[in-house]
Amino acid sequence: MTQETPGQRRDTPESPRGWRAAAQEALYGPAGFYRRPEGPAGHFRTSVHASRLFAGAVAELLQRVDTALGRPAALDFVDMAAGRGELVAGVLAALPREVAARVRPYAVEIAGRPGGLDERVAWRGEPPAEITGLLFANEWLDNVPVDVAETDPAGVPRYVLVGDDGTERLGDPVTGADADWLARWWPLGAEEGARAEIGLPRDRAWAAVAGRVAHGLAVAVDYAHTADARPPFGTLTGFRAGRETTPVPDGTCDLTAHVALDACAAADGRPAPARLLTQRAALGALGVSGGRPPLALAATDPATYVRALASAGEAAELTARGGLGDFGWLLRAVDIADPLA
């Protein structure tokens, strides 16, 4: 990778710029990826799309929050980065009627409201200012744009600049708050070519939305890593039409990087520590199991056996090692006990 010529201007979209600015435009600009009509489901599959069991588990979590709050007259459910509203719709469908009648459902998304969505769902560009209930951010933080740093031959971390065609070069040294974040959360060392995604914007984004929960629970679910296992060359990649692809900030593909979820957990400034666990552990605590039904059931009730077997297969995908089960869950309880403890 070459270094930028000192003094080179980067004040047009065609000029190389930091990955954060490039991804912001490519994902959320007027012609951005997340404004495309097919929606995220046209390009990649999340836990929400893998099985209705996921929405059912989130509905169970919402009911536990409801119980911990003393069953308030109005119970908020905020689906952060809602896509086309698949999760909020699934949660409403899975709730008991008495609970659903008290729920105020919100879908937070930059794209327009999809047709056919339950009219009870409030479609918004940002979360409510004060939330009593559950805020659930599934695969949101990995799409909060961040800058990328790479160590140059002298061992200095520099910003990685990228052109609209995906061509990269090194820019200025990383300084200020970004350098402080790297030093604390992702030290690069002196090896040439080591890379990191600077997660400070994600820390701030999470602190901002989690801070809106006045009573209840904020949850972030995402591809994640922690300080004891940072990837040496970063994780920035692209997805298009169901396939991983080279990340190019031109609006035609998703741009994603795994989340330093431990840094996010420490960012909201609350005195009590947040909790980190795997999706496998979280869904297990919510009753999702990949265990096969007893074979004897096939003889006594074949239809029930087939349904149970299909459900077990879906649960196995949601909790699989090396797959969705390794996702991180970040839980921030506010004025209630941890409902997964």
Side-chain angles (χ1 to χ4, degrees):
M1 183 177 296
T2 60
Q3 288 184 216
E4 180 197 21
T5 302
Q8 179 177 349
R9 293 179 59 82
R10 300 190 300 276
D11 55 1
T12 67
E14 294 77 17
S15 300
R17 50 192 167 158
W19 265 108
R20 183 183 179 192
Q24 181 67 35
E25 181 177 337
L27 294 177
Y28 305 116
F33 175 82
Y34 278 97
R35 298 186 187 275
R36 295 169 67 95
E38 69 271 20
H43 295 271
F44 53 85
R45 190 164 177 258
T46 72
S47 295
V48 178
H49 308 116
S51 172
R52 289 180 294 180
L53 293 175
F54 189 79
V58 177
E60 168 64 23
L61 181 59
L62 179 58
Q63 291 177 78
R64 295 188 188 186
V65 172
D66 181 41
T67 299
L69 290 170
R71 297 182 175 84
L75 177 68
D76 297 324
F77 175 65
V78 181
D79 181 5
M80 190 72 195
R84 295 301 180 264
E86 299 95 336
L87 178 60
V88 67
V91 168
L92 288 174
L95 287 171
R97 181 176 301 178
E98 184 277 326
V99 179
R102 292 185 286 109
V103 168
R104 295 186 297 198
Y106 299 91
V108 181
E109 182 57 66
I110 66 161
R113 183 188 184 98
L117 184 65
D118 191 314
E119 63 182 13
R120 292 174 292 176
V121 178
W123 194 266
R124 301 169 57 111
E126 62 178 42
E130 185 172 302
I131 297 165
T132 296
L134 173 62
L135 179 142
F136 199 88
N138 185 58
E139 295 197 38
W140 167 55
L141 287 171
D142 68 290
N143 289 126
V144 173
V146 292
D147 276 313
V148 177
E150 180 175 321
T151 304
D152 71 9
V156 176
R158 292 179 176 271
Y159 291 106
V160 176
L161 308 181
V162 61
D164 289 352
D165 63 354
T167 302
E168 294 182 336
R169 65 174 65 180
L170 295 186
D172 294 333
V174 178
T175 59
D178 286 347
D180 293 341
W181 189 93
L182 281 179
R184 179 180 179 186
W185 294 108
W186 199 335
L188 282 176
E191 181 181 356
E192 181 182 359
R195 287 170 67 118
E197 290 97 30
I198 303 172
L200 183 59
R202 294 171 173 178
D203 295 356
R204 291 171 173 168
W206 171 249
V209 299
R212 299 193 181 201
V213 177
H215 311 281
L217 184 70
V219 179
V221 180
D222 235 309
Y223 305 93
H225 47 70
T226 53
D228 58 344
R230 300 284 189 228
F233 303 109
T235 60
L236 177 66
T237 192
F239 282 92
R240 181 190 297 115
R243 296 179 180 273
E244 189 170 6
T245 185
T246 301
V248 178
D250 61 1
T252 67
C253 68
D254 186 29
L255 298 170
T256 176
H258 295 197
V259 181
L261 213 51
D262 50 346
C264 294
D268 62 19
R270 296 184 185 271
R275 185 180 178 200
L276 295 175
L277 65 165
T278 65
Q279 175 155 296
R280 184 166 45 257
L283 292 184
L286 292 167
V288 176
S289 169
R292 294 171 63 92
L295 189 58
L297 185 62
T300 60
D301 191 343
T304 298
Y305 176 79
V306 170
R307 288 194 297 270
L309 192 62
S311 179
E314 293 176 5
E317 180 181 2
L318 290 173
T319 59
R321 296 185 184 277
L324 294 173
D326 290 343
F327 272 41
W329 280 46
L330 165 57
L331 279 68
R332 163 58 69 192
V334 182
D335 288 343
I336 64 169
D338 183 343
L340 294 187

